[in-house]
Amino acid sequence: MSRAMQCHSCLPWGSWLQRSLSGGRGTRAVHVCAASVPGERGGLCACGTVPLALGYVGYQGGSGENPVHPSSSRHSQSQLRNVASSGAIKKHQKSLSAWFSHQPNEERQFGPSFSLDAVHVDPVIRESSLEEILKPSPDLTIQEQLQQPCRQVISLHNLFDVDACGRQVKNVVLYGTVGTGKSTLIKKMVVDWCHGRLPRFELVIPFSCEDLSHSHAPISLRRLITKKYQHLRDVVPVLGASNLKVLFILNGLERLNLDFRLAGTELCCDPNEPVPPSAIVVNLLRKYLLPEASIIVTTRPSAVRRIPAKYVGRYAEICGFSDTNLQKLYFQMRLSQPGCSGEGSRGGSSAEQENLVEMLSRNLERHNQITAACFLPSYCWLVCTTLHFLYFTRTVPPTQTLTGIYTSFLRLNFSGEVLDSTDPTNISMMKYVAKTVGKLAYEGVMSRKTCFSEDDLQQCFEVEMKTESELNLLEVFRSDVFRFFLSPCVQPGKEHTFVFTIPAMQEYLAALYVVLGEKKTLAQRVGKELSEVIGRVSEDVAVVVNIISKVLPLRFLPVLFNLLKIFPRYFSRLSGRERDAIAHTMAEELFKEEDYYNDDVLDQINSSILGVEGPMRHPDEAPDDEVFELFPIFMGGILSRRNRAILEQLGCSIKNLAAFEIAKAMKKTVIRKSHKGLPPSELMDYLFFLHEFQNERFTAEAVRSLRAINLASVKMTPLKCSVLASVMGTTCHEVEELNLTSCNLDSSSLRTLFPVMLRCKALHLQLNSLGSDACQEIRDLLLHDKCAVSSLRLANNPVGEQGAQFLAEALAGNRSLTQLSLLHTALGDSGAEAIARHLAQNRHLRELNLGYNSLTDAAALRVVEVAKKHEALDKVHLYFNDISEDGKQALHSLRMDRDGVRALVFLTAGTDVSDYWSHILSVVQRNLPFWDRDRVRQHLALLLQDLESSRSQTANPWRKAKFLRVESEVKKMLGKLQDGTL
């Protein structure tokens, strides 16, 4: 067993907490464990065999006194000046700047292409030492780390300053766990040099250790440089012969297997001699090759010890955004960028951006779990990207999915890396995470648990450890990756438990664990392995059996072989059942009745990032039940073609056939369960699931069964409108009803939903603050030749006079509308007059509601006069308007059989109770929360007075009883209004 494993295999599981706190603030340290370090003793030999004449005198620990060189000849100085001032280095700078400023696709999908200069915030860098790296870190909570000052902070540009002993530092090891921003920091360093902000070095040559690891053919240093950077072919010949200040950057040293023993890597001081790339790196770090060059190495903590300490002048740890002020600065720079809200955004988007930054800052100040998550700059990126997706998505269909964001996030941080390059299995980091952390996440989802004890971690990670290799992989994971996914809980009383750094990440990894088929019983795993083995050898066995059967009359051999081939076929059927189980799990989790009345998942994500405004929960108060509604949505999203392609790059393969069979099984479960009525928030989740699944054929089949869509009281953000339009756009079937009551719609939302509303028969748009701009969109909708809307309700919207003009124009040309409700829409007399003028051109409207619009006698009678001549209109609602006694008498005189129209104004009809009295009172009761209570009280008093007057004019006892019943209902309503109970 290696010395590292001997040291750490007996550690108590309390070290999970110590390790998870590594890489943070002042007194934090990374507790490193790795496999045995090759070449430690060999490195000592190397030091002893270096000739003094080669200028190695005084070198120790990667630092050395400033060497005294013999004065160069004028020719050499002239040559150096020519090289430095030549266009070669300037071309190199231009090329590097273009390459390192290039933003990945994940950035370009969300607004403009941000430059590193525009949005970069340097993480905290802390000077460290090998002794500090190897000793356990103190047991600090997240709050303590955030509150205490960070010591030994050093800036990126000062990494090569002299050390505490006054020696010039030549080799720097910059280490940090996954997600702390090592690669981004190096990109920023290169860009700074290209723009003249790193004058210490005249030439910077970056190398990717991942790139170097793929080549084992011998190559010289000079050839390697010119192969990667052709512009430097005139500079390379003088690298070793001049005092040119050169910086080599070796990014991702954990990808290389370095051997510092002389027996493993021979000494080489000639830049022209071909040696393996790993040997070039070793000799550069030994300072045997180009001893005057400076080198900065980035690596994960587990690989720090691969370089013997005597070759390192300075250790520096990237602590991420361990200061909340850095987190706030990043969010402010990222979310306040002009154009962040996308093209075509309105001026109000700037205020929305500022509001987002303010809400996020307040949540960070509370030291919630998100503060701990944003220790890692990577999670700051994820938060900004998610907010951009939630608030600024206005395209149809959306160009991104939430699952795609999380999958891309993992690609940016892991990009197919293997967990340990020294391990022969070469398991990808993401595959290891899916098997281990995914199991923990899944068990948490199934037991509705988000906090995990050390016993939970031990059960998940160590229960199946049997070999040295597995234990080594676990130690590397604990050192490098654990903190990326799990962090100590900040909730009081739970400081020694762990939660997923971002709550949604638990559900994503649980979904990945299930879809990858890792949730297997022992019998299923053994059966799969046997099936693969038998399948591989079946062809060879067939050849042997055929030969033997021709030589010997053994009739039973072919029979035995055929029986042998039955097993893989039988196991394939079992695999089909496993995919049925995946589909069943998805359906069960998607339609859990106990989650029916929660907020929709998009609002839940928004709350988890921005927090919930209002009083803080008391520590002794019982917490709400945990909700995992994203879990089935992520399962569907992972099965989409794009996400499967990205996961393939990360080493997590999901075959096309498996995805097809799961989708086929889902038709029996998901679509069947969706036929029952879903509450609005749950229906929104189902629509979002179909969007994430990205399977147009499946979505079309699922949507055809949705004849009525009720999303009342769901806050329809631009993203939700885009999702609804995209999902419904997969078919062209007619929708019986679309209920968007109280959904925070505006004109932009209506524009997005135009194709959906066009084929809806009943359209409910009440309580949405729709003004004249929105009415213009509705006019275009009603005038469209394919409009199918027959019932339109716009009650309790500030339509106004201008909006009424647009709606009147729509009435004149529309051929489908039969019912129009403009109850309480602030029309006034002018708006009613506009409606009346265009009403004569309409031939299909049957019912018009103009109640509670401050209409006077003239406007009301004008509408009724037009209605008398209308071919189809037979009912006009005019209650709760400012109609006088004379107007009342004129409207009372209308007769359906004579005038062809009935005006609903009062609860009475002459000396009888109106047939519509219950309808009018129910309308009042339903809309009371949105109406002026004093005005409602006045109108109810008038209605009561009218009832009493009409009752006194009739002698019919049956009618008197009816009047008394209605009066009783009105008095009851007035009493509740007075008491404030209604």
Short mmCIF file of all heavy atoms in Angstrom, two decimals, residues 26 151 204 236 316 450 506 528 553-555 558 577 589 650 794 816 828 939 954:
data_model
loop_
_atom_site.label_atom_id
_atom_site.label_comp_id
_atom_site.label_asym_id
_atom_site.label_seq_id
_atom_site.Cartn_x
_atom_site.Cartn_y
_atom_site.Cartn_z
N GLY A 26 -8.13 32.25 5.16
CA GLY A 26 -6.80 32.35 5.71
C GLY A 26 -6.22 31.08 6.27
O GLY A 26 -5.17 30.64 5.84
N ARG A 151 -5.62 35.54 5.33
CA ARG A 151 -4.21 35.87 5.54
C ARG A 151 -3.36 35.35 4.38
O ARG A 151 -3.75 34.46 3.66
CB ARG A 151 -3.73 35.27 6.85
CG ARG A 151 -4.43 35.86 8.09
CD ARG A 151 -4.00 35.19 9.36
NE ARG A 151 -4.41 33.80 9.41
CZ ARG A 151 -4.09 32.97 10.38
NH1 ARG A 151 -3.34 33.37 11.38
NH2 ARG A 151 -4.51 31.72 10.36
N VAL A 204 5.48 34.78 -23.12
CA VAL A 204 4.68 33.80 -22.37
C VAL A 204 4.33 32.65 -23.31
O VAL A 204 3.83 32.87 -24.41
CB VAL A 204 3.40 34.44 -21.80
CG1 VAL A 204 2.47 33.36 -21.23
CG2 VAL A 204 3.73 35.46 -20.73
N VAL A 236 12.50 31.15 -31.06
CA VAL A 236 12.92 29.93 -30.37
C VAL A 236 14.43 29.71 -30.40
O VAL A 236 15.02 29.31 -29.37
CB VAL A 236 12.18 28.71 -30.97
CG1 VAL A 236 12.82 27.40 -30.51
CG2 VAL A 236 10.72 28.74 -30.55
N ALA A 316 0.77 28.26 -4.07
CA ALA A 316 -0.32 29.22 -3.94
C ALA A 316 -1.64 28.49 -4.15
O ALA A 316 -1.79 27.71 -5.10
CB ALA A 316 -0.18 30.36 -4.93
N THR A 450 -32.26 16.19 2.29
CA THR A 450 -31.23 17.03 1.66
C THR A 450 -29.97 17.14 2.51
O THR A 450 -28.93 17.55 2.00
CB THR A 450 -31.76 18.44 1.39
OG1 THR A 450 -32.20 19.02 2.62
CG2 THR A 450 -32.91 18.42 0.39
N GLN A 506 -28.48 18.07 -6.67
CA GLN A 506 -28.85 16.76 -6.11
C GLN A 506 -29.84 16.06 -7.03
O GLN A 506 -29.69 14.86 -7.32
CB GLN A 506 -29.47 16.93 -4.72
CG GLN A 506 -29.93 15.60 -4.12
CD GLN A 506 -30.52 15.74 -2.73
OE1 GLN A 506 -30.50 16.83 -2.13
NE2 GLN A 506 -31.06 14.66 -2.19
N LYS A 528 -25.66 -8.72 -16.22
CA LYS A 528 -25.16 -7.90 -17.32
C LYS A 528 -23.74 -8.30 -17.69
O LYS A 528 -23.39 -8.43 -18.86
CB LYS A 528 -25.21 -6.42 -16.92
CG LYS A 528 -24.74 -5.49 -18.03
CD LYS A 528 -24.81 -4.03 -17.60
CE LYS A 528 -24.31 -3.14 -18.74
NZ LYS A 528 -24.34 -1.72 -18.35
N PRO A 553 -19.12 -37.14 -33.78
CA PRO A 553 -20.60 -37.13 -33.82
C PRO A 553 -21.21 -36.77 -32.45
O PRO A 553 -21.89 -37.57 -31.83
CB PRO A 553 -20.93 -38.57 -34.23
CG PRO A 553 -19.81 -39.37 -33.65
CD PRO A 553 -18.58 -38.52 -33.73
N LEU A 554 -20.87 -35.56 -31.98
CA LEU A 554 -21.41 -35.13 -30.69
C LEU A 554 -22.60 -34.21 -30.95
O LEU A 554 -22.46 -33.01 -31.15
CB LEU A 554 -20.32 -34.39 -29.87
CG LEU A 554 -19.07 -35.23 -29.57
CD1 LEU A 554 -18.04 -34.38 -28.83
CD2 LEU A 554 -19.44 -36.46 -28.73
N ARG A 555 -23.78 -34.80 -30.99
CA ARG A 555 -24.97 -34.04 -31.36
C ARG A 555 -25.38 -33.04 -30.27
O ARG A 555 -26.10 -32.08 -30.56
CB ARG A 555 -26.13 -35.00 -31.61
CG ARG A 555 -25.87 -35.99 -32.73
CD ARG A 555 -27.03 -36.95 -32.93
NE ARG A 555 -26.77 -37.91 -33.99
CZ ARG A 555 -27.02 -37.68 -35.27
NH1 ARG A 555 -27.54 -36.53 -35.63
NH2 ARG A 555 -26.75 -38.60 -36.18
N PRO A 558 -24.11 -28.67 -30.46
CA PRO A 558 -24.89 -27.55 -30.99
C PRO A 558 -26.07 -27.16 -30.08
O PRO A 558 -26.40 -25.99 -29.92
CB PRO A 558 -25.39 -28.06 -32.34
CG PRO A 558 -24.41 -29.13 -32.72
CD PRO A 558 -24.01 -29.77 -31.42
N ARG A 577 -37.19 -4.45 -19.19
CA ARG A 577 -37.96 -4.20 -17.98
C ARG A 577 -37.32 -3.10 -17.14
O ARG A 577 -38.01 -2.32 -16.49
CB ARG A 577 -38.05 -5.49 -17.17
CG ARG A 577 -38.91 -6.57 -17.82
CD ARG A 577 -39.03 -7.79 -16.93
NE ARG A 577 -39.81 -8.83 -17.58
CZ ARG A 577 -40.04 -10.03 -17.04
NH1 ARG A 577 -39.53 -10.32 -15.85
NH2 ARG A 577 -40.75 -10.94 -17.69
N GLU A 589 -42.76 10.17 -10.05
CA GLU A 589 -42.21 11.39 -9.45
C GLU A 589 -42.82 12.64 -10.08
O GLU A 589 -42.96 13.67 -9.41
CB GLU A 589 -40.69 11.40 -9.61
CG GLU A 589 -39.97 10.32 -8.84
CD GLU A 589 -40.14 10.48 -7.33
OE1 GLU A 589 -40.13 11.63 -6.85
OE2 GLU A 589 -40.28 9.46 -6.64
N LEU A 650 -18.24 13.41 -21.50
CA LEU A 650 -17.84 13.34 -20.09
C LEU A 650 -17.67 11.90 -19.62
O LEU A 650 -17.43 11.67 -18.43
CB LEU A 650 -18.88 14.04 -19.22
CG LEU A 650 -19.06 15.54 -19.46
CD1 LEU A 650 -20.18 16.09 -18.59
CD2 LEU A 650 -17.77 16.28 -19.17
N LEU A 794 -61.83 39.63 -20.52
CA LEU A 794 -60.78 40.60 -20.20
C LEU A 794 -61.10 41.36 -18.92
O LEU A 794 -60.62 42.48 -18.72
CB LEU A 794 -60.62 41.59 -21.36
CG LEU A 794 -59.96 41.04 -22.62
CD1 LEU A 794 -60.10 42.01 -23.77
CD2 LEU A 794 -58.48 40.75 -22.37
N SER A 816 -65.55 35.08 -35.29
CA SER A 816 -65.62 33.90 -34.41
C SER A 816 -66.15 34.23 -33.02
O SER A 816 -66.71 33.36 -32.35
CB SER A 816 -64.23 33.26 -34.27
OG SER A 816 -63.32 34.17 -33.66
N GLY A 828 -65.31 53.72 -19.40
CA GLY A 828 -65.94 55.03 -19.38
C GLY A 828 -66.91 55.19 -20.55
O GLY A 828 -67.07 54.29 -21.39
N HIS A 939 -73.21 50.33 -4.40
CA HIS A 939 -74.03 49.69 -5.43
C HIS A 939 -74.93 48.62 -4.83
O HIS A 939 -76.10 48.47 -5.25
CB HIS A 939 -73.13 49.07 -6.50
CG HIS A 939 -72.67 50.06 -7.52
ND1 HIS A 939 -73.49 50.57 -8.50
CD2 HIS A 939 -71.46 50.66 -7.70
CE1 HIS A 939 -72.83 51.41 -9.25
NE2 HIS A 939 -71.58 51.49 -8.79
N THR A 954 -95.67 44.68 -5.80
CA THR A 954 -96.34 43.44 -6.22
C THR A 954 -97.16 42.88 -5.08
O THR A 954 -96.82 42.99 -3.91
CB THR A 954 -95.31 42.39 -6.68
OG1 THR A 954 -96.00 41.22 -7.11
CG2 THR A 954 -94.37 42.01 -5.55
#
